[in-house]
Each structure stands twice: as structure tokens, then as C-alpha cells.
Amino acid sequence: MENIIKNYCKKNVTYTLKYKYFRLSKDYIDSTDFIMYRVSPQINKVVLSSDGSGYFPLDYIKVGKKIFFIDGEITTKPSPKIFTLLKEKDLIDSTMVKVKQGLLDWDVIGKGKGTIMTNDRLKVNTYLVCKTNNKIVSKWRTNKSEVSAKNIKKAIKKGCKN
């Protein structure tokens, strides 16, 4: 993951200057020799649902003043390390919990005026990495989080270069 973050910071100077937080997700693909990683700016907070659960990162990697959150899971019990950091950086939105508890009136905060969850204008960097030598085989920069199957197959054909 460190190679991915270094490459991302080097190749995306505009984003690394503009944003403080990033999301790093790891996806397994049908090939046993490769792993796919995605990196993008994270502009939204962890939005807690009315039951107090949220999509919390599993961990993070700090590079200078930038934080790369490692993709996580829906839970009501994030690790103390993650919860402390998110609370310290004011990255938890508890509006829905407060509405359920009667601390906020939904009509007062305005229906449909919640936190922005996505921004399709932001680019996502996708990396195909060889498991054997941890080298980046291919990378793509798209407005979407998905790279076409055709492009992935083409990259896999290159194989792992030692």
C-alpha cells in the first residue's frame, strides 16, 4: 500500500495539495496473481445511521499531513484508534442519530440537505499490483471507480515483471 500511496502523491499533486483525506480500497479480482487498489479524495464524513452504525475505515496511513483511510465496514464499534482520529478531525456526522433521539427536528434541518456522499467529478486512481513482487503493473485514472474488464484483462496479460 505504501507504493500505491507514494505513486498517488507523486502523480496527483493537485489533489494532494487540495485535499487532506483520501480513501484507499483493496479489491481482489479473479486472478490469483494480482490485487487492485483504488485511491481517491474523501470529501464526506462517516455518516451514522439512526442506529448509530456507520461505514468506518479499518485503519489509516498518515503521510505528512495527509491521511489515507483504508476501506472499512459498516459497524457500530470502530476501533478506538479510528474513532479517536475521526472524532478529533470532526469526520463523523451524527445528524440521523440526533434526529432519532429527538435532539434535532428533521424538518428544521431540511429534508434532502444532507452530507454530500459522492462527487463524480473527482478522479479515482486504480492500480493493478502484482502480489509476487508488489509492483504496479498498470494504473488508470477515471471519473468512476470501475475500470473496464477489457482494460483489466489486457493488463493481466502483461503478467508480473520481476
Side-chain angles (χ1 to χ4, degrees):
M1 286 190 204
E2 290 173 13
N3 287 341
I4 300 295
I5 292 171
K6 285 178 188 175
N7 183 282
Y8 183 85
C9 291
K10 182 179 176 183
K11 301 288 183 181
N12 297 280
V13 176
T14 304
Y15 279 5
T16 54
L17 290 173
K18 185 175 182 177
Y19 299 100
K20 294 179 187 177
Y21 309 110
F22 301 86
R23 179 178 177 189
L24 176 62
S25 61
K26 179 166 113 175
D27 293 321
Y28 293 93
I29 55 176
D30 291 338
S31 170
T32 57
D33 297 329
F34 300 94
I35 300 176
M36 191 159 351
Y37 293 92
R38 291 185 176 92
V39 183
S40 62
Q42 181 169 319
I43 59 170
N44 55 303
K45 296 181 177 190
V46 172
V47 179
L48 300 180
S49 63
S50 59
D51 69 355
S53 65
Y55 191 81
F56 288 94
L58 289 177
D59 204 353
Y60 65 90
I61 298 171
K62 194 169 182 180
V63 177
K65 294 182 179 182
K66 308 299 176 183
I67 296 175
F68 289 80
F69 289 108
I70 298 170
D71 213 7
E73 61 189 354
I74 295 175
T75 182
T76 56
K77 296 180 181 181
S79 73
K81 175 184 171 184
I82 287 293
F83 187 78
T84 301
L85 177 73
L86 292 172
K87 188 175 176 186
E88 175 187 301
K89 302 292 184 184
D90 190 28
L91 293 174
I92 300 174
D93 181 342
S94 60
T95 302
M96 297 304 292
V97 174
K98 292 175 184 172
V99 167
K100 183 178 181 184
Q101 294 175 345
L103 300 172
L104 286 175
D105 183 355
W106 184 247
D107 293 329
V108 172
I109 60 172
K111 294 180 182 174
K113 294 182 181 177
T115 304
I116 296 171
M117 295 303 296
T118 60
N119 186 338
D120 290 337
R121 292 178 290 152
L122 293 177
K123 301 281 187 188
V124 176
N125 284 41
T126 304
Y127 298 87
L128 186 68
V129 177
C130 176
K131 287 182 187 178
T132 309
N133 58 20
N134 288 324
K135 292 194 178 193
I136 298 169
V137 175
S138 280
K139 54 189 167 194
W140 301 272
R141 189 161 192 227
T142 63
N143 286 52
K144 303 172 186 171
S145 61
E146 297 296 324
V147 174
S148 74
K150 180 181 173 183
N151 285 339
I152 294 169
K153 285 179 185 178
K154 185 176 174 183
I156 287 174
K157 282 184 181 179
K158 293 181 189 176
C160 292
K161 298 176 184 175
N162 291 328

